[in-house]
Amino acid sequence: RILKNIRSKDIVFSDRVQASFDTQTLDSLALHTILRKADVNMSKSNTKLDSCKIYFVEGDLKERPIYLTIENCSETATIQHVTLDLPH
C-alpha cells in the first residue's frame, strides 16, 4: 500500500542519488522497477513525523540487494539515499 502511494506521486531524486546515476549501474527506470517489487521495512522507517514520512525500502537490482530511503510527502516522494550491496 505504501509503495503504491509512493509510485502515484512525482518521484524526485536527491542530488546524492542523481550523482549515483553517473557512477553506478543505476538509473531512474531501475528505481521505478524496484519500487514495484520492493518491500517496506517498517522497523527502519520513521512514520511518526508530522510532515513527510521516511520509509526504508528493500529490494533487488540484478540479484543484488538494494536499499532506498524515501521521504514521502503529500505531493512528492524524494528518494534521498540508495545503497547497493556489492557482489561478493
Side-chain angles (χ1 to χ4, degrees), residues 2-32:
I2 294 166
L3 291 175
K4 184 177 181 181
N5 175 274
I6 289 170
R7 288 193 312 266
S8 72
K9 299 178 181 177
D10 288 334
I11 296 183
V12 178
F13 304 102
S14 70
D15 291 341
R16 176 192 241 169
V17 172
Q18 195 71 42
S20 72
F21 290 162
D22 299 331
T23 59
Q24 297 181 22
T25 57
L26 189 63
D27 58 29
S28 60
L29 181 60
L31 290 178
H32 284 281

Side-chain angles (χ1 to χ4, degrees), residues 14 16-17 56 67-70 78-84:
S14 70
R16 176 192 241 169
V17 172
F56 188 84
Y67 308 100
L68 312 175
T69 304
I70 302 174
T78 303
I79 299 178
Q80 295 182 321
H81 190 259
V82 176
T83 304
L84 183 61

